[in-house]
């Protein structure tokens, strides 16, 4: 599908691997210039090098720890310095710890909120004037953990549900100011984060990888694990003019794991 995104500029956080790298890849395939942000400069450069499938697509990389209060403004400034405008902000960097509630520390909670909640809030605040100028779009990558509480995901579920309310609130502002704000809730997606989840289940249940996979799929009642590029394709559609009527939408992409309305 021709999405008409060529020449737009996106900033994607957590773009050094996994879902963020896949979103950056899909946007670049559509002709979008992409600024990739995470902590690991060499991994960012590797991903960026793979995006130059089209001679007209330009990339920029910016290394920052988005838990730091000033990091968001620096990341947006880097995108503006490289491209002079910003049309699409994808908030994706997240690393909430999954474990038994009683083993999680105060620091684990602060850390989870610092990156995935306050990081998204700060990125949105810093990018907003630029997005308003071009009538752009924000996509928040949440997670289906927002939809139902679960024993081993107290931090992630709480962060994700806060992000959904934040998405709706910014969409309310965005209606007036011409910025669209939407959220994607991925289910199980095959990334390093998912691998760590599989390893946790292997340890806790004393099963092999196949057994852990079977457990996770049966817990979700789904047939397979999702691929990062499936999230990339959805993000590109939302950011495009074809997704123009999406405002404050929260889209679960999870193979049917979420049954609740
Ligand atoms: N995979 C799933 O099954 C799944 C399901 C639901 C929701 N999600 C959500 O999707 C998003 C991406 O997940 P993923 O599976 O792709 O995770 P991942 O493979 O662990 O990648 C996380 C990304 O975030 C970056 N990052 C981590 N800490 C950072 C920090 N302090 N500052 C800046 N960047 C940081 C990492 O890069 P550096 O290490 O280079 O900083 C990396 O690029 C997360 O928000 C996650 O909660 C994932």
């Amino acid at each position: 599908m021709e999405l008409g995104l060529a020449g737009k500029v996106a900033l994607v956080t957590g773009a050094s691997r996994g879902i963020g790298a896949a979103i950056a890849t899909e946007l670049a395939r559509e002709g979008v210039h992409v600024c990739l942000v995470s902590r690991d400069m060499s991994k960012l450069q590797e991903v960026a090098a793979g995006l130059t499938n089209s001679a007209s697509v330009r990339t920029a990389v910016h290394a920052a720890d988005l838990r730091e209060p000033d990091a968001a403004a620096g990341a947006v400034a880097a995108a503006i310095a490289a491209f002079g405008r910003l049309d699409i902000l994808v908030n994706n960097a997240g690393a909430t710890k999954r474990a038994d509630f009683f083993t999680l520390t105060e620091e684990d909670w602060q850390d989870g909120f610092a990156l995935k909640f306050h990081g998204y809030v700060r990125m949105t605040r810093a990018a907003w004037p630029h997005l308003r100028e071009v009538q752009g779009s924000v996509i928040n990558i949440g997670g289906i953990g927002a939809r139902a509480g679960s024993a081993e995901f107290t931090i992630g579920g709480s962060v994700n549900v806060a992000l959904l309310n934040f998405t709706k609130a910014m969409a309310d502002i965005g209606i007036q100011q011409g910025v669209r704000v939407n959220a994607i809730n991925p289910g199980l997606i095959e990334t390093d984060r998912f691998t760590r989840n599989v390893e946790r289940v292997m340890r806790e249940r004393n099963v092999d990888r196949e057994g852990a996979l079977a457990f996770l799929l049966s817990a979700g009642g789904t047939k397979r694990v999702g691929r990062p590029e499936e999230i990339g394709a959805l993000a590109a559609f939302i950011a495009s003019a074809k997704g123009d009527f999406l405002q404050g939408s929260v889209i679960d992409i999870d193979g049917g794991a979420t049954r609740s309305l």
Side-chain angles (χ1 to χ4, degrees), residues 33-73:
H33 308 301
V34 189
C35 179
L36 301 100
V37 180
S38 83
R39 291 165 302 177
D40 189 329
M41 179 55 100
S42 67
K43 284 204 183 129
L44 288 173
Q45 284 166 337
E46 248 176 64
V47 175
L51 300 189
T52 46
N53 53 332
S54 152
S56 58
V57 167
R58 289 184 292 136
T59 58
V61 289
H62 179 77
D65 184 335
L66 292 172
R67 291 170 299 188
E68 301 296 329
D70 296 334

Side-chain angles (χ1 to χ4, degrees), residues 14 16-17 19 38-40 65-66 92 116 187 189 191 196:
S16 62
R17 58 176 189 264
I19 291 173
S38 83
R39 291 165 302 177
D40 189 329
D65 184 335
L66 292 172
N92 165 77
K116 189 156 171 164
I189 307 295
T191 66
R196 291 193 294 277

